[in-house]
Amino acid sequence: MSTWDDVARVCLALPGTQESTTYGARSWKVAGTLFVWERPLRRRDLEELGDDAPSGPVLGARVPDEGAEHALVADEPGVYFTTAHFDGYAAVLTRLDALDDAALTELAGEAWACQAPKRLLAERGPA
């Protein structure tokens, strides 16, 4: 079970990452570009998800492409999900309290790599 403190720890360990806020929620950016964020569900999300809407904290994360998003949701629907708001956008929503430390570290690292400039990717080296 991961917490927002775990997200901050994992993300801030990645080169060039800053914690910020986006629309009043916590977010993490690399070189000024959002890669992981707190994503409270909105009324429209709740209506769309119905009984499947998580009651706990939701983490949004960039993914390489929509194929990766769909694969995560298909492989682990109890952890990853999406809403119509993210159609056409390479991002996935996550039930934060369903992520263990290893999954959080992998998700944040991949999200970071999607947005990091080449200089920082080289600094980090192979994941």
Side-chain angles (χ1 to χ4, degrees):
M1 178 173 158
S2 294
T3 66
W4 292 115
D5 289 340
D6 296 324
V7 175
R9 174 183 49 80
V10 167
C11 289
L12 292 172
L14 297 164
T17 297
Q18 305 86 34
E19 185 170 341
S20 184
T21 58
T22 302
Y23 299 108
R26 290 174 83 174
S27 62
W28 290 266
K29 299 176 181 179
V30 58
T33 303
L34 184 70
F35 70 96
V36 169
W37 61 96
E38 179 181 5
R39 177 49 165 78
L41 294 178
R42 299 176 177 123
R43 182 180 41 88
R44 188 173 187 184
D45 299 324
L46 294 169
E47 290 170 359
E48 178 184 338
L49 294 168
D51 292 340
D52 292 332
S55 59
V58 175
L59 174 75
R62 291 298 305 253
V63 292
D65 54 46
E66 285 186 275
E69 171 190 350
H70 297 303
L72 285 168
V73 171
D75 289 347
E76 294 186 72
V79 177
Y80 303 100
F81 67 102
T82 190
T83 65
H85 177 81
F86 291 97
D87 287 351
Y89 188 69
V92 68
L93 299 175
T94 307
R95 292 165 176 84
L96 182 59
D97 53 10
L99 283 178
D100 62 23
D101 195 59
L104 172 61
T105 300
E106 182 178 0
L107 181 67
E110 289 179 4
W112 178 89
C114 290
Q115 301 300 92
K118 289 180 184 177
R119 168 185 60 80
L120 289 176
L121 287 169
E123 182 180 319
R124 181 179 181 214

